[in-house]
Amino acid sequence: MYFGSEEFTDEVGHGTHIAGTIAEGTPSNVKIYPIKVAESQTLYDSDIITAINYIVYNNIADVINMSF
């Protein structure tokens, strides 16, 4: 799992596209904190839960968008 401060690649491009769409329609004081939960096309529930817990417990965001 990769969190916002590390470099990673969006192999499919969907998450990057959605983040760009969200960024375009939000005020400039809104920040996007990317979290990559899968290293391949395989996605595990435990990875999604870990990412949500990380965001909630660290008070990183008011809104969570998940692009699968």
Side-chain angles (χ1 to χ4, degrees), residues 14-23 26 31-37 48 51-52 55 61-68:
H14 179 74
T16 301
H17 173 79
I18 297 303
T21 301
I22 291 169
T26 58
K31 295 179 182 173
I32 293 177
Y33 189 88
I35 296 177
K36 182 176 181 177
V37 298
I48 298 167
I52 293 170
I55 293 166
D62 293 319
V63 176
I64 298 173
N65 173 67
M66 307 187 91
S67 301
F68 304 126

Side-chain angles (χ1 to χ4, degrees), residues 25-60:
T26 58
S28 61
N29 65 336
V30 174
K31 295 179 182 173
I32 293 177
Y33 189 88
I35 296 177
K36 182 176 181 177
V37 298
E39 294 192 41
S40 66
Q41 297 271 338
T42 304
L43 184 62
Y44 297 101
D45 292 346
S46 60
D47 292 332
I48 298 167
I49 292 166
T50 300
I52 293 170
N53 285 338
Y54 179 82
I55 293 166
V56 171
Y57 293 134
N58 290 289
N59 198 27
I60 292 173

